[in-house]
Amino acid sequence: WMRQGLIDLPPKPGELAPLWEAVHSAPTYKPGITVAKRRLEAYLGGMVGGQLPWVKEDGQVYRAGSGWPATLNMVSAGETANRRSLTANGYLRVDEVQHTPPQVYGAELSPMCSSTGAFQVFQGTIWPESLGEQLRPRLLEEQEADGIQRVYQVPWEVVAEHNEAYGDHVRAEIARLGENHPIIDSEYRLRTPRAAGAFLEPEDLDKLF
């Protein structure tokens, strides 16, 4: 967001500052967007050391920089939320992609980048028939075609190497639920649980209750 050339350099005399806008979506406003807002404000006010001027508008729009201001819009991907008229020429981030309705992404989120070609970032876990599972085959094909990595998978063992408490938590969950539980596969091993259409196989469904 704050890399040199986007918001640090002032426009030339007589030149209008270009608009640089990004969009961050989450399945719900509370807690999804509220948590993201709190983390961003902590970063802007603390880690940056107060050196970067920024303001918050309308409760969920952040503007930073003095020369070429950058704008980050935070929106809910809930089906009743208002997202119309937003454009992303910086990036579009879709958080918790497994819980983002595919129809919301197709009708409102993806078109935000249609006129700009801005890159899109999807973050989440794996679940059958989810938006992430719909997008992954195409991304893997493109990755294979040009050699540019687009799909990054970080299973729980990798996180546990850097966070001992997380490793202890996952090992306790495996002991509680069992090695082949669909939640263990989806949330921690990043494997797609067995499914038939939009439904889990009966033996996997039984494990959820």
Side-chain angles (χ1 to χ4, degrees):
W1 186 14
M2 296 175 289
R3 76 181 180 210
Q4 189 75 14
L6 287 179
I7 60 177
D8 294 336
L9 300 178
K12 298 176 182 179
E15 179 183 52
L16 293 176
L19 296 176
W20 188 91
E21 294 188 289
V23 176
H24 176 129
S25 77
T28 59
Y29 190 83
K30 291 183 179 181
I33 291 299
T34 55
V35 170
K37 287 166 52 179
R38 186 166 63 246
R39 290 172 177 169
L40 176 62
E41 290 172 17
Y43 176 77
L44 291 173
M47 295 180 65
V48 179
Q51 299 179 1
L52 181 73
W54 65 278
V55 296
K56 180 168 66 172
E57 300 176 357
D58 300 325
Q60 61 194 55
V61 179
Y62 293 81
R63 302 190 190 280
S66 55
W68 287 5
T71 300
L72 175 61
N73 299 280
M74 293 193 171
V75 299
S76 167
E79 295 186 9
T80 60
N82 183 11
R83 296 167 292 269
R84 297 291 182 181
S85 301
L86 288 178
T87 300
N89 59 10
Y91 66 84
L92 166 67
R93 176 180 172 184
V94 182
D95 201 5
E96 296 290 346
V97 64
Q98 75 277 14
H99 296 307
T100 298
Q103 64 272 22
V104 170
Y105 170 76
E108 297 187 42
L109 295 178
S110 181
M112 294 176 185
C113 306
S114 61
S115 64
T116 64
F119 69 90
Q120 302 180 36
V121 180
F122 306 95
Q123 181 177 343
T125 57
I126 292 174
W127 197 251
E129 303 300 316
S130 67
L131 173 61
E133 288 296 270
Q134 292 180 17
L135 295 170
R136 189 162 61 150
R138 176 176 60 82
L139 295 175
L140 289 172
E141 288 179 4
E142 294 176 356
Q143 180 174 293
E144 180 69 20
D146 60 20
I148 300 175
Q149 187 170 4
R150 292 173 173 82
V151 178
Y152 295 83
Q153 293 192 214
V154 185
W156 75 271
E157 294 92 343
V158 175
V159 181
E161 292 176 2
H162 304 277
N163 188 322
E164 183 177 352
Y166 181 81
D168 291 341
H169 166 76
V170 178
R171 283 185 283 270
E173 286 296 277
I174 292 174
R176 181 176 71 90
L177 298 173
E179 287 282 349
N180 299 317
H181 195 281
I183 289 179
I184 300 299
D185 280 341
S186 171
E187 296 290 323
Y188 303 116
R189 292 204 173 101
L190 302 182
R191 300 173 183 167
T192 305
R194 295 175 300 167
F199 302 95
L200 293 173
E201 296 286 0
E203 59 268 34
D204 288 334
L205 184 61
D206 289 342
K207 294 176 183 178
L208 296 178
F209 300 97

